[in-house]
Amino acid sequence: MTFTRFLKGAALAIMIGVSSVAMVASAGFAQTVDAPMPPAAKPDPNAPVAEPEEEIINLLDREPEPLFSDILAPYAPATAATHGVSNGLRQGALYLMAKLTQDSTPLDDGLIWRIYSETTNSDGRLELVATSEGGDAEFRLDPGTYLIHTAYGFAQATNRIVIGKEVLSKMVTLNAGGIKFNASLKDGDNINHEPISFDVYGMTFDARGERDKIASNVKPGSIIRLSANTYHVVSRYGDVNAVVRADIQVLPGKLTEATVLHKAADITLKLVNERGGEAIANTTWSVLSPGGDIVVEATGAFPDFVLAAGEYEAIARNNGRTYLQKFEVSSGDDNEVEVVTTTSELASQQGTSSN
């Protein structure tokens, strides 16, 4: 029986009871009174005035008092109590729903609910009482104070609630949105198939001057859910120096599509005896910036790197000899850089003798 039906039934019972009393009184009056009643005595004007009786409040006409500021639709348990009458009297029922914004519809999937007791255990940690995944959730809990943790991707909210032996319902507004990540080169084409990843950081710094990392190694085309805020996003193309940073704002209830423009290319190095010749194995490589800083090092016949656009110098070492080759990287122009032993060795020897 729902709460509304219970109240209607109670009202009907009250009305029937009053009618029955009235009928009995009328019957009694007809049996015991044979003559008209004498007129009542004239009231004394000097008698003290009696205090008016307290007005009777009809509970059926009162507006229900909200349990929370964000009221849900009427709640009814999905199933009847399965733990017996004593359990139903001992525990309260908590029904939870969540939505992205005040104006959006409730979420029906992707939610993780965690209920913690407000008191800590012997280890000083909050005790996890119950969990649920999916959309809305229903919990049966002993009376007490609890913390409700709601997670939708990386968007989170924590609320405190006091539960008795009644039925409570609560809507959690996450105030969240999302970001969809993409990356492109100079021609504007997305490069989802390339080794590109995204890391998401908060905007504040800790005591060590580092940002709080929220999500890491997010792949292009992925959508992550975040609380509405501004985030620092770092996109890496390869593992060397092709890095782009940007601050991106997430709006509540909105999906922000963030496309990062990379200026870089994939470069393969080869040490050969002549142009177009076979690569020489067992070669050690160093790639330097124009200022002489080491950008990346590797060993092998065909080292392959993604490098940011700019000028570089390749140093190849093989069989005790060193060979040099300057080259340039243009955005989106994947290329193979050959270091030829004859010309490079002669230039190296001339540079050494001049010193």
Side-chain angles (χ1 to χ4, degrees):
M1 178 185 295
T2 64
F3 185 66
T4 304
R5 289 177 59 191
F6 173 80
L7 290 181
K8 289 181 177 178
L12 181 59
I14 293 171
M15 292 174 65
I16 293 174
V18 171
S19 300
S20 300
V21 172
M23 287 189 293
V24 170
S26 298
F29 180 79
Q31 294 173 358
T32 58
V33 178
D34 297 325
M37 293 288 292
K42 184 177 180 180
D44 184 1
N46 298 320
V49 179
E51 293 293 331
E53 296 183 0
E54 184 177 354
E55 182 182 359
I56 298 176
I57 299 176
N58 187 348
L59 297 180
L60 297 178
D61 295 335
R62 289 179 59 183
E63 291 293 329
E65 296 180 1
L67 298 175
F68 296 93
S69 58
D70 42 354
I71 306 172
L72 284 177
Y75 163 80
T79 57
T82 59
H83 301 291
V85 177
S86 61
N87 226 21
L89 295 174
R90 181 174 60 84
Q91 291 185 309
L94 176 62
Y95 183 62
L96 298 172
M97 300 177 71
K99 54 186 179 179
L100 293 178
T101 66
Q102 289 284 355
D103 301 326
S104 63
T105 58
L107 298 166
D108 58 6
D109 194 18
L111 292 166
I112 299 178
W113 300 95
R114 296 182 178 91
I115 308 296
Y116 293 90
S117 173
E118 193 179 46
T119 58
T120 57
N121 56 23
S122 58
D123 297 331
R125 297 183 178 181
L126 296 176
E127 180 181 358
L128 180 63
V129 176
T131 62
S132 179
E133 296 185 17
D136 53 346
E138 178 186 338
F139 300 95
R140 298 299 177 93
L141 300 167
D142 293 332
T145 304
Y146 297 89
L147 297 177
I148 305 170
H149 182 269
T150 313
Y152 185 63
F154 294 96
Q156 303 180 47
T158 302
N159 293 279
R160 181 177 180 272
I161 190 170
V162 179
I163 295 178
K165 297 178 182 179
E166 69 278 91
V167 175
L168 299 181
S169 59
K170 184 172 179 62
M171 176 72 77
V172 176
T173 302
L174 292 168
N175 192 35
I179 302 179
K180 182 178 182 180
F181 292 101
N182 286 301
S184 66
L185 294 170
K186 62 178 181 180
D187 54 6
D189 293 335
N190 289 343
I191 47 178
N192 296 335
H193 62 285
E194 301 293 348
I196 293 179
S197 64
F198 299 85
D199 294 336
V200 181
Y201 297 85
M203 297 298 292
T204 59
F205 296 89
D206 59 20
R208 296 180 298 178
E210 298 178 354
R211 297 180 187 268
D212 178 33
K213 181 181 285 188
I214 298 171
S216 61
N217 199 29
V218 180
K219 298 303 180 183
S222 300
I223 297 175
I224 64 171
R225 302 150 179 164
L226 296 162
S227 299
N229 209 333
T230 301
Y231 296 89
H232 185 72
V233 176
V234 179
S235 177
R236 290 180 171 83
Y237 181 16
D239 300 321
V240 185
N241 65 343
V243 179
V244 177
R245 299 174 179 269
D247 293 337
I248 299 175
Q249 185 179 15
V250 176
L251 299 175
K254 305 293 184 181
L255 177 63
T256 301
E257 295 200 34
T259 299
V260 175
L261 178 63
H262 275 279
K263 296 182 178 180
D266 190 285
I267 302 298
T268 302
L269 301 178
K270 292 172 58 179
L271 178 65
V272 296
N273 290 320
E274 58 183 0
R275 296 290 179 186
E278 294 291 330
I280 302 174
N282 301 321
T283 302
T284 301
W285 296 89
S286 296
V287 177
L288 307 182
S289 68
D293 297 324
I294 296 177
V295 177
V296 64
E297 294 181 313
T299 299
F302 299 97
D304 183 84
F305 316 105
V306 174
L307 297 174
E311 296 180 350
Y312 299 90
E313 184 175 44
I315 300 177
R317 300 178 180 88
N318 184 273
N319 199 22
R321 297 178 180 179
T322 301
Y323 309 95
L324 309 177
Q325 177 69 51
K326 292 184 178 181
F327 65 98
E328 184 175 352
V329 176
S330 299
S331 180
D333 186 14
D334 298 343
N335 202 1
E336 191 175 81
V337 175
E338 291 184 334
V339 179
V340 183
T341 58
T342 52
T343 306
S344 298
E345 182 181 4
L346 178 61
S348 177
Q349 290 176 348
Q350 289 177 346
T352 304
S353 60
S354 63
N355 293 333

